[in-house]
Amino acid sequence: MSKNCFTVFLLFSVLIARGQRVLTVQADEKKFEISPTMWGVFFEDINFAADGGLYAEMIKNRSFEFPTPMMGWHEVRSSYQKGRYVVVNRSDGSANEKYLDIIINRADGDYKIINDGFRGIAVRKNEKYAFSILAQSIKGDIKLKLNVLNARGQIIAEAKVPAFQKEWQSYKTSFITSDTTQNGRFQLTFEGSGEINIDMVSLFPYDTWKGRPGGLRKDIVEKIAALKPGFIRFPGGCIVEGKDLANRYQWKNTVGNTVDRRLIMNRWNKEFTNRPAPDYYQSFGLGFFEYFLLAEDLGAAPLPILNCGMACQFNSGEVVALGELDPYIQDALDLIEFANGDISTKWGSLRNQMGHPVKFNLQYLGIGNEQWEPQYIERYAIFEKTLLTKYPYLKIVSGAGPYPQGDYFDYAWKELRKLNPSLIDEHYYKPPAWFFENVNRYDNYPRKGPKVFAGEYAAHSKEGAVPESRNNWESALAEAAFMTGLERNADIVRMCSYAPLLAHVDAWQWRPDLIWFDNLKTMTTPNYLVQKMYSTNRGTHTLSITEDGKNISGQNGLFSSAVADTIEKTIIIKIVNNSSKTQILSVQLKGSPETSGEMQWQTIASDDLSAFNQLNELDKIIVHTSFKKIVKNICDWSVPAYSFTIGKIATK
Ligand code: AHR
């Protein structure tokens, strides 16, 4: 190197050294134990998350139980004389009162009914699909031909049900598709002449999650599983409350045979006039048994939320009279028995009949969602007393209402502190700036009493669930910064979940959401990547990470937290750079940890804060991984402008 070059090099080094910020991790002092439930998921049946989403059923309104019984269906025939249907209502009070009575007058297969699916029927080439139907032959010799049609109306799959008996029974067949279609339809052609009754027309892919017949969409579950969630909160949200009490979520209507699960209107059907979803109903094919099973599959603690005797206070605000609360409390007691009871008990026996003699190990139960004021506290208190008397081990989750501050919030915390909830659920849907400004929110929370469940949060670039809010990089970065504060306070914050979890690209009501899907594919968002980076780098204990002896929570745009993982033997550092400049860091591990190998750095960065991924453009925001040697427990590293970075080093 020439003399001149050497001088420039020296000067440059000094300049770098001047701009370098020193982050000190106290590696030998474990501060707080981090709950295994720290990062979880919140599943709500919003945005077609269940029917049309996670639940892999492809036929919409399969049992003709929608209030408009032929919604999702239409007839194809050349004249009325050739055939017709009548919707018959048994009017027997059962969950499945309606069925279709079809009369065919001509044997030429000219009478068809078509189902449009959930925003289309989508199939993949060379995959196998399972069809089933309940039917009874009334007269004649009708045969059934089944076809998947692509968007141009061409047949890409065919199967037949050759004959039907006089008694109601289930018929099954399967087919393999010859092509892929995103926007197809499913056609039933009635051949022969006579009369037939049909019900529960169903079509599922064979390739469901764990190959379970009538199961869940594998690609969606895989995305959720990759988060390694510590818990799963279900089934909502406002869905638990219902617009009125008649439309509240009742878990008992969601277990047992699918045909006996009573359909209701999904409360998001009419909620937003800008995003109407008149065909949004809950078949409960995905019900409480399936939620428990999913939690078990994912190794996540199940956290069901039950109605506390109150409908949504943003809607009817209907409450059950205090003296009439018993059936609601009984539902909670019975749910615990369903999950944890011996198979000799009434509800434990139903779990057994459904194929799961082993207990589901329910430890957490939420009472109410976003309720407020005395009517909630009065009802909650009765639930709590009864439940804890019978099940003292139960960790009850109560709620602080819909807002993260203000009168409802303060009142809820004040009153709930006098009771015994294990956790209080806080919700915040706020602009990104709020998340950056509130990173220290939990630093001064009282350490005694209920713990915090950050049960629903998401940075909305526009306040509220308006269509302009996107899953952009700015929102994800704000959440990443805020999460350093959640992590730093892991002694008081024990559970956290982004909300909502799922959204169908053609059928959503609320945006942003963590995972998007169409009928064939799923897409992760920047927010998902952030959640995943936290949840798969959870650690077991917090460590202090400071600059000049202070927490790093916004100085020149930098936010940071650190953890140790005593099981996997690692030290993990999370760093958010919310400034427009690259920041040059010297990360120093104090306390002489015996580190080994190189430090792994995973980074998401984008100068374009408005960038977001789309199904046809998945790579706008992605994670990059690099490695750097650590020398004498010091690792120099630069974090790019507007970035989230995780540094990880193995210890001995
Ligand atoms: O996550 C969407 C909704 O937001 C939830 O149903 C409700 O709890 C909150 O208002």
Side-chain angles (χ1 to χ4, degrees):
M1 190 184 289
S2 73
K3 200 174 162 193
N4 275 354
C5 282
F6 186 65
T7 316
V8 172
F9 173 73
L10 267 186
L11 194 64
F12 188 60
S13 310
V14 171
L15 282 177
I16 286 181
R18 274 204 198 132
Q20 202 170 32
R21 300 177 64 172
V22 178
L23 311 191
T24 306
V25 180
Q26 202 58 49
D28 57 345
E29 284 174 24
K30 296 185 184 67
K31 289 189 77 181
F32 307 129
E33 175 259 340
I34 300 168
S35 171
T37 58
M38 183 72 181
W39 311 114
V41 291
F42 161 51
F43 178 92
E44 170 155 25
D45 187 3
I46 186 173
N47 303 319
F48 278 47
D51 289 321
L54 189 56
Y55 184 50
E57 173 65 84
M58 295 161 72
I59 304 295
K60 185 170 70 186
N61 192 14
R62 64 184 173 189
S63 61
F64 311 102
E65 295 300 317
F66 283 20
T68 305
M70 288 302 276
M71 189 178 263
W73 294 93
H74 55 268
E75 280 180 303
V76 181
R77 60 176 176 192
S78 55
S79 76
Y80 181 79
Q81 280 70 33
K82 291 197 173 175
R84 60 99 184 119
Y85 72 81
V86 173
V87 178
V88 183
N89 192 329
R90 296 181 178 94
S91 305
D92 57 1
S94 68
N96 185 30
E97 290 187 315
K98 295 180 208 148
Y99 61 88
L100 223 55
D101 174 90
I102 293 173
I103 291 185
I104 309 292
N105 298 322
R106 279 267 303 271
D108 59 3
D110 189 46
Y111 186 82
K112 308 172 202 289
I113 57 171
I114 289 185
N115 189 275
D116 295 330
F118 296 91
R119 306 296 192 268
I121 295 273
V123 293
R124 280 192 195 85
K125 186 175 177 174
N126 293 336
E127 290 211 359
K128 193 172 176 187
Y129 293 83
F131 170 82
S132 66
I133 190 169
L134 287 178
Q136 74 171 151
S137 168
I138 302 296
K139 58 176 186 255
D141 60 348
I142 293 176
K143 300 176 185 49
L144 182 57
K145 187 168 80 182
L146 310 160
N147 293 113
V148 177
L149 310 178
N150 66 15
R152 278 170 287 149
Q154 295 159 331
I155 291 176
I156 57 170
E158 180 157 316
K160 290 196 168 165
V161 183
F164 293 91
Q165 304 301 312
K166 295 272 176 220
E167 301 301 320
W168 276 107
Q169 54 178 275
S170 172
Y171 298 85
K172 294 183 176 150
T173 185
S174 63
F175 52 77
I176 292 177
T177 43
S178 62
D179 205 352
T180 295
T181 186
Q182 176 81 39
N183 280 311
R185 288 165 299 148
F186 190 64
Q187 178 174 280
L188 287 78
T189 305
F190 295 88
E191 297 176 332
S193 57
E195 184 175 1
I196 186 170
N197 293 335
I198 63 165
D199 203 351
M200 290 297 279
V201 184
S202 173
L203 184 64
F204 275 88
Y206 259 73
D207 191 19
T208 56
W209 168 249
K210 290 196 177 275
R212 291 189 185 120
L216 306 183
R217 246 179 81 171
K218 188 166 106 179
D219 58 336
I220 299 182
V221 181
E222 281 172 349
K223 286 280 188 309
I224 302 172
L227 291 168
K228 296 201 169 43
F231 67 89
I232 173 163
R233 174 180 181 234
F234 59 86
C238 296
I239 201 97
V240 170
E241 303 161 359
K243 277 183 184 296
D244 50 28
L245 286 172
N247 277 293
R248 71 188 190 277
Y249 195 105
Q250 299 189 60
W251 76 266
K252 287 175 182 166
N253 292 341
T254 77
V255 292
N257 292 333
T258 47
V259 66
D260 298 323
R261 301 183 189 184
R262 187 181 296 281
L263 175 131
I264 60 171
M265 187 187 82
N266 187 300
R267 61 140 299 136
W268 298 107
N269 180 311
K270 293 182 183 159
E271 187 70 14
F272 297 123
T273 46
N274 60 327
R275 299 288 308 172
D279 55 343
Y280 200 0
Y281 287 84
Q282 291 172 271
S283 73
F284 297 116
L286 171 54
F288 262 45
F289 178 81
E290 290 77 19
Y291 287 121
F292 278 120
L293 206 56
L294 178 63
E296 183 179 83
D297 291 345
L298 302 183
L303 167 53
I305 308 295
L306 294 182
N307 186 294
C308 63
M310 300 176 70
C312 178
Q313 285 168 279
F314 290 114
N315 296 145
S316 70
E318 193 184 358
V319 298
V320 72
L322 278 177
E324 303 299 324
L325 201 55
D326 279 359
Y328 291 73
I329 296 180
Q330 194 57 48
D331 274 356
L333 292 168
D334 292 342
L335 179 67
I336 301 167
E337 187 176 290
F338 178 71
N340 294 353
D342 190 86
I343 58 170
S344 59
T345 61
K346 175 177 172 194
W347 292 101
S349 135
L350 177 61
R351 184 190 72 240
N352 182 33
Q353 282 164 36
M354 293 184 76
H356 205 282
V358 175
K359 297 173 184 175
F360 279 124
N361 189 25
L362 174 69
Q363 299 288 322
Y364 296 88
L365 184 61
I367 302 300
N369 174 45
E370 284 182 346
Q371 269 71 50
W372 59 80
E373 296 202 313
Q375 57 269 39
Y376 173 54
I377 304 298
E378 286 162 356
R379 285 165 183 75
Y380 170 78
I382 303 173
F383 268 91
E384 184 189 274
K385 189 161 178 237
T386 318
L387 295 179
L388 288 183
T389 303
K390 185 147 189 210
Y391 297 105
Y393 66 82
L394 199 66
K395 296 186 183 79
I396 302 187
V397 178
S398 62
Y403 309 118
Q405 69 268 316
D407 292 347
Y408 293 161
F409 180 87
D410 294 341
Y411 175 79
W413 264 99
K414 178 166 78 67
E415 294 303 318
L416 289 168
R417 278 190 186 286
K418 299 177 195 162
L419 299 163
N420 283 308
S422 292
L423 293 123
I424 296 183
D425 180 12
E426 299 188 352
H427 294 177
Y428 13 89
Y429 297 102
K430 290 285 185 186
W434 183 94
F435 283 84
F436 287 116
E437 284 155 15
N438 282 273
V439 169
N440 298 329
R441 175 180 174 91
Y442 295 109
D443 289 1
N444 299 314
Y445 257 49
R447 265 35 205 180
K448 291 214 170 99
K451 308 288 186 206
V452 172
F453 171 31
E456 293 185 27
Y457 63 88
H460 285 217
S461 39
K462 297 271 162 67
E463 202 154 347
V466 291
E468 290 82 359
S469 275
R470 303 294 312 217
N471 285 99
N472 61 27
W473 178 229
E474 183 189 26
S475 67
L477 193 62
E479 289 150 13
F482 185 75
M483 290 164 81
T484 62
L486 297 176
E487 187 171 87
R488 194 173 55 238
N489 289 284
D491 60 326
I492 176 88
V493 182
R494 305 296 281 172
M495 302 174 105
C496 311
S497 43
Y498 181 97
L501 180 64
L502 296 176
H504 190 300
V505 289
D506 297 323
W508 59 274
Q509 295 78 51
W510 177 294
R511 190 165 81 180
D513 307 284
L514 203 60
I515 300 169
W516 288 81
F517 58 89
D518 64 17
N519 286 345
L520 288 179
K521 302 178 289 303
T522 55
M523 178 197 82
T524 55
T525 56
N527 316 72
Y528 174 93
L529 298 176
V530 165
Q531 291 292 323
K532 188 172 167 204
M533 281 168 76
Y534 268 90
S535 61
T536 57
N537 292 287
R538 176 166 44 213
T540 53
H541 296 83
T542 61
L543 300 173
S544 98
I545 180 163
T546 54
E547 182 183 32
D548 300 329
K550 294 195 193 103
N551 286 339
I552 302 153
S553 58
Q555 301 93 311
N556 291 324
L558 216 61
F559 301 82
S560 189
S561 58
V563 301
D565 193 313
T566 56
I567 299 162
E568 109 180 346
K569 293 200 179 8
T570 48
I571 292 171
I572 304 162
I573 298 152
K574 285 137 188 154
I575 306 167
V576 169
N577 179 9
N578 184 39
S579 76
S580 57
K581 297 202 172 61
T582 296
Q583 305 225 28
I584 306 157
L585 309 177
S586 171
V587 177
Q588 312 202 342
L589 306 182
K590 296 284 179 200
S592 312
E594 274 192 74
T595 53
S596 72
E598 294 183 308
M599 191 138 184
Q600 183 203 55
W601 294 97
Q602 289 176 275
T603 302
I604 315 177
S606 171
D607 281 341
D608 179 4
L609 289 170
S610 63
F612 54 87
N613 292 338
Q614 301 199 69
L615 274 166
N616 55 3
E617 199 180 13
L618 293 171
D619 55 354
K620 279 224 150 169
I621 305 287
I622 52 172
V623 183
H624 296 275
T625 305
S626 347
F627 295 87
K628 173 112 195 258
K629 256 212 149 19
I630 180 161
V631 180
K632 294 187 181 157
N633 281 335
I634 297 178
C635 191
D636 292 340
W637 193 252
S638 294
V639 284
Y642 302 118
S643 64
F644 174 47
T645 300
I646 290 196
K648 188 171 187 170
I649 180 82
T651 52
K652 289 186 183 148

